[in-house]
Amino acid sequence: MDAEKITVTTIHEMKKRGEPISMVTAYDFAMAKNADEAGVEMLLVGDSLGNVMLGYPSTVPVTMDEMIHHTKAVARAQTRALVVGDMPFMSYQAEEAEGMRNAGRLMKEGGCTAVKLEGGEEVAPLVKKMVSSGIPVCGHIGLTPQSVHVMGGFKVQGKDLEAAKKLIRDAKALEAAGAFAIVFECVPSVLAKKLTAELTTVATIGIGGGNGCDGQVLVCNDLLGFSDGFCPKFVKKYADLHSEIVGAFKSYVTDVKSRSFPDEARSFGMDEEVLSKLY
Ligand code: KIV
């Protein structure tokens, strides 16, 4: 595998060549190392961190400091993959200047190469300012989890005429603003495919957007089957780590209780003579 670092230029070139782009979330050093070794091109330190790692009910409570803490851990893995840090809820929506400063923090303190933020036309001026200041931006439209309380739940977006037109405007505004990629979350496949063909410079990354996007992203814990709880329709589980992990812990508990762990091979000896002077 080519060990050259993935950059936004690589992503542009992959889009141009029609070469599918793989992205997964990662929130810590170990997961980043594993995904990178597997050849994933982009690692997203998503604000799904809130649900997946921190046990929050949504992404809304996630803070800048939490994002920076986890982005640092992923960046320390020094991956070949492009590391994208997610801008959490209310780190950029209130004021442009605050958004700029927080994106700067994510790059300077967190060590990511690019940032991701949710929204379309309404955030395009901020995206433009970020890009012109040297901050590569990945957009995120369709289902935007930070707005779950406005959207009234996690639903497929862009299904009726007005919603589909808005989605198209959003994607085009982000492309014109200079975003290098856009996540399409829970968007009808046919619409995602047509839009992907229309957008010439920005790579579309689907999550519930069908296979006509330029690339795909999944939450690493979903992909690995880390829990047996609710699983969105668009997820494909490539492993069943939940069963593996719970099974392993159960075996450990059994071994501890039967004193079959640790065995001789995993224990340390002592000179008999020394012992005899004690007992
Ligand atoms: O936070 C996240 O993990 C995301 C992905 C679902 C794209 O935004």
Side-chain angles (χ1 to χ4, degrees), residues 9-264:
T9 309
T10 321
I11 302 301
H12 281 308
E13 285 166 357
M14 289 177 79
K15 157 124 189 149
K16 249 196 269 166
R17 285 199 300 273
E19 182 182 341
I21 302 156
S22 59
M23 185 185 209
V24 293
T25 65
Y27 315 100
D28 62 32
F29 179 86
M31 193 66 82
K33 277 268 182 218
N34 285 327
D36 193 56
E37 189 182 323
V40 166
E41 278 101 12
M42 286 202 278
L43 292 176
L44 170 64
V45 190
D47 63 352
S48 51
L49 164 74
N51 316 69
V52 175
M53 303 295 285
L54 304 179
Y56 296 150
S58 73
T59 59
V60 170
V62 177
T63 66
M64 268 309 294
D65 287 344
E66 286 166 341
M67 286 309 307
I68 289 170
H69 178 75
H70 286 266
T71 304
K72 272 182 178 172
V74 169
R76 273 195 291 268
Q78 295 197 320
T79 57
R80 162 187 173 264
L82 179 76
V83 176
V84 182
D86 219 351
M87 301 281 293
F89 182 55
M90 278 302 142
S91 66
Y92 59 96
Q93 288 94 337
E95 281 174 29
E96 241 177 58
E98 193 176 24
M100 292 297 293
R101 269 192 292 274
N102 281 327
R105 280 193 71 197
L106 210 46
M107 287 180 77
K108 285 160 72 95
E109 298 174 42
C112 57
T113 300
V115 304
K116 178 172 87 56
L117 48 82
E118 296 183 6
E121 290 174 299
E122 64 285 2
V123 294
L126 174 60
V127 171
K128 189 169 181 186
K129 195 163 185 173
M130 285 180 173
V131 175
S132 63
S133 306
I135 302 172
V137 180
C138 174
H140 183 159
I141 58 174
L143 173 56
T144 47
Q146 291 176 10
S147 308
V148 62
H149 299 306
V150 172
M151 290 177 158
F154 296 96
K155 300 172 195 157
V156 177
Q157 304 294 309
K159 284 179 94 166
D160 64 44
L161 186 60
E162 279 319 304
K165 281 184 178 168
K166 162 85 175 124
L167 202 87
I168 294 168
R169 284 200 306 275
D170 285 342
K172 290 189 174 172
L174 289 171
E175 179 175 58
F180 75 97
I182 308 174
V183 169
F184 280 8
E185 180 163 355
C186 291
V187 171
S189 322
V190 61
L191 181 58
K193 188 173 179 174
K194 283 192 181 294
L195 245 175
T196 297
E198 259 188 275
L199 300 167
T200 54
T201 60
V202 66
T204 63
I205 310 291
I207 175 162
N211 66 8
C213 294
D214 294 308
Q216 300 295 328
V217 58
L218 279 178
V219 167
C220 58
N221 287 45
D222 289 345
L223 181 161
L224 296 171
F226 230 86
S227 100
D228 66 348
F230 169 75
C231 185
K233 172 184 158 106
F234 54 76
V235 169
K236 178 172 175 185
K237 288 190 182 183
Y238 286 85
D240 181 10
L241 290 197
H242 174 75
S243 302
E244 287 281 325
I245 291 170
V246 174
F249 283 138
K250 277 185 178 167
S251 301
Y252 169 70
V253 171
T254 304
D255 283 2
V256 168
K257 299 213 177 281
S258 65
R259 296 195 187 279
S260 54
F261 174 84
D263 55 11
E264 278 293 310

